[in-house]
Amino acid sequence: MPTPTLRFTRMFTYKGRREQGGCRLWRVPSRSCTRGAPVKACSLPAGTSRAMPELPRSGICCVFFLCGWLVSSHGTDAPGAVLEIDIETIDQAVTTAMAESNVLQKLAEAASKKQPGVKPIKGITGLKVKDLQPPEISLTFVPGTGLFMAVLTKITIAGRSFIGGNMEISLVANMTAKNKLSQADSGSPKFSVENCQIAIVSVKTNLPSSMLPKMVNKFLDSTLQKVMPGMLCPAVGAVLGLMNAKFDTMMAKIPFGALGSIQFTLLSPPIISQDFIELHLKPILQHQGGDPVDLPADPPALASLPPKTEPGTQIVLSANLLAGELTLLQASFDLNVTDNPALELPPLTTATLASLLPEVSESLPPSKPLVIELRVTKPPLVTIKEDKSLLHLFTTMEFLSGDPSDSRDPLFVLETHINLDTQFSVHEEKLHISVTLDRLYKMELSSSSVGPFDVSSAETPLKGFLADIIQVAYVPALNAALQEGMPLPYLFGLKYSHTEIRMSEGALVLNVRVK
């Protein structure tokens, strides 16, 4: 007789805002739209009489409906993810953008060329940039506005001067710009330059000071004030353009393996404090065919944020966002389990089942192979506390005789609620989840062709047997399905190499540091 084996078969079938003060209870002269029943009505502005006017039945019901809609729709405005981007992250992104684009060098070279319709600087000919040192960049947030940028630049300009011969001008210039951060028509965050100024810090030439009377010094100062803004101020707009392109990438659709996609949209204009830029994001999840994935209403989206206590950029991911992402993977959570002695479990046969269920043992077929078809029937749910996170799976377990000649009608069907401990990690710019069995939380008999039996008792041998099956056979299959990982928000092209993870009430908090 051949040795029975455990077989895993993956199934890939794709199956107002609340007015401030909230709503109050009124007693109105009708009952379900009748007399004496408490009905919700919206609170009134200060100074307005609170006397309830006589309303027709339809009017009262409309008030009830409207307030209910306002309350229920309030949650839809809460973000599924929040980014709190610190100044070090912005500084790294700006520095990287400047280095990758070589924007200052390009603009300085362009400024030294003769431009159509632009008069040459009187007194200097053959103007060109001879040397440009890497800039020193200093950034600070301007609360409520955006970003203040100071760029200290060391540059050497060469040309022929009006007093004859070649002249080199080595100067240090400080470029300052106040940049506004807003929400573009496309929905992405957008930087724009509000003003740009150039201050000449120091000037040196290759000519002896005795050859530079006050008149020449004044000439150089006035000339440089004309030359430098045309060279350096466009660099601010160019760098911010690169930053805006990175914002657009942040808001672009991200593939979610071969199963679908996720896209983050900005719920409201950016919030700028003295410490960070705060972006409230709404995730849009879609199956591969374009069908949307609805995020669960319970647990709710982020109504409040955990405090930001550590330096770095903080990314807050709501529990319902994680549940929505797991819903995309739901089709790969189904499993068929058959016997395998290597698992060190009792044989998966109808005889073993009979020993676990003596009340229906006579109704079960004689010893035959058994197949358990485990199917996830509802979207996964994630709950997060400060000390524990659980993945909740709601499944059916169909128990069938494994003999191909037998009818494929199940012997019985169980509805189960499985709780799984979740552990989180970040690598390759994705959030990874691994699970272990917490407990088989609930088990109910849905239908039975072999007669009724009790599965409600926590002591039933069947529950312990199924918990072992879940731990030994199902959990490894789940972890294999979760290996793909979940895409994280694009962070200006910076890596998530130094990320600390902690759990908060209803959310996962990632602290990303630039090193």
Side-chain angles (χ1 to χ4, degrees), residues 86 307-314 500 502 511 513:
D86 73 335
K308 188 177 185 300
T309 58
E310 300 292 334
T313 286
Q314 180 167 284
E500 298 174 354
R502 64 183 173 91
N511 199 68
R513 303 188 68 170

Side-chain angles (χ1 to χ4, degrees), residues 7-312:
R7 183 177 72 254
F8 299 104
T9 305
R10 289 293 171 81
M11 307 300 290
F12 289 98
T13 304
Y14 282 94
K15 309 210 163 206
R17 178 182 64 180
R18 184 192 302 218
E19 293 293 335
Q20 188 170 357
C23 290
R24 300 179 180 274
L25 287 173
W26 297 89
R27 290 279 176 181
V28 297
S30 51
R31 190 188 306 195
S32 46
C33 296
T34 65
R35 182 179 303 276
V39 177
K40 284 189 174 182
C42 292
S43 59
L44 303 175
T48 305
S49 171
R50 297 192 179 276
M52 186 69 179
E54 292 291 333
L55 293 175
R57 242 177 234 194
S58 60
I60 294 173
C61 291
C62 286
V63 169
F64 178 86
F65 171 80
L66 176 61
C67 282
W69 179 84
L70 287 171
V71 172
S72 64
S73 65
H74 176 72
T76 62
D77 294 333
V82 173
L83 268 61
E84 294 174 328
I85 307 171
D86 73 335
I87 198 67
E88 285 78 14
T89 302
I90 295 292
D91 182 78
Q92 180 69 23
V94 168
T95 301
T96 301
M98 279 192 166
E100 291 177 348
S101 63
N102 204 17
V103 63
L104 286 177
Q105 182 71 41
K106 291 177 181 177
L107 289 170
E109 290 174 357
S112 66
K113 297 177 181 178
K114 185 176 181 180
Q115 303 292 331
V118 177
K119 294 181 179 180
I121 301 295
K122 184 178 180 182
I124 297 181
T125 59
L127 185 68
K128 63 179 182 179
V129 175
K130 184 176 181 180
D131 182 49
L132 181 63
Q133 297 296 315
E136 299 176 18
I137 304 170
S138 176
L139 303 175
T140 55
F141 291 130
V142 181
T145 301
L147 184 68
F148 179 82
M149 180 186 299
V151 182
L152 191 68
T153 305
K154 298 178 181 179
I155 187 170
T156 299
I157 302 172
R160 294 186 65 83
S161 72
F162 70 98
I163 58 176
N166 295 323
M167 174 183 286
E168 288 187 0
I169 307 171
S170 298
L171 61 95
V172 177
N174 190 33
M175 174 178 63
T176 59
K178 187 178 180 182
N179 310 299
K180 183 178 180 181
L181 181 61
S182 59
Q183 186 173 5
D185 293 339
S186 64
S188 298
K190 180 182 178 180
F191 279 117
S192 56
V193 183
E194 286 203 325
N195 60 60
C196 175
Q197 297 179 348
I198 302 293
I200 306 300
V201 178
S202 65
V203 179
K204 295 181 180 179
T205 73
N206 62 337
L207 300 178
S209 58
S210 59
M211 297 181 62
L212 295 175
K214 291 183 178 180
M215 181 182 69
V216 177
N217 281 327
K218 184 176 180 181
F219 166 77
L220 289 175
D221 288 344
S222 63
T223 299
L224 291 173
Q225 291 291 354
K226 293 178 182 179
V227 173
M228 294 307 296
M231 283 186 176
L232 299 181
C233 279
V236 179
V239 169
L240 294 184
L242 296 171
M243 294 292 291
N244 291 337
K246 294 179 184 291
F247 274 132
D248 289 339
T249 302
M250 182 186 294
M251 301 295 149
K253 187 177 291 188
I254 307 171
F256 200 114
L259 300 172
S261 64
I262 182 171
Q263 183 175 10
F264 294 99
T265 61
L266 201 58
L267 269 176
S268 57
I271 301 169
I272 303 99
S273 70
Q274 64 180 1
D275 298 316
F276 52 82
I277 295 170
E278 187 173 305
L279 303 179
H280 289 196
L281 304 179
K282 176 183 177 182
I284 299 174
L285 289 158
Q286 289 183 321
H287 291 289
Q288 190 62 39
D291 293 333
V293 176
D294 294 328
L295 301 188
D298 187 21
L302 297 171
S304 61
L305 294 177
K308 188 177 185 300
T309 58
E310 300 292 334

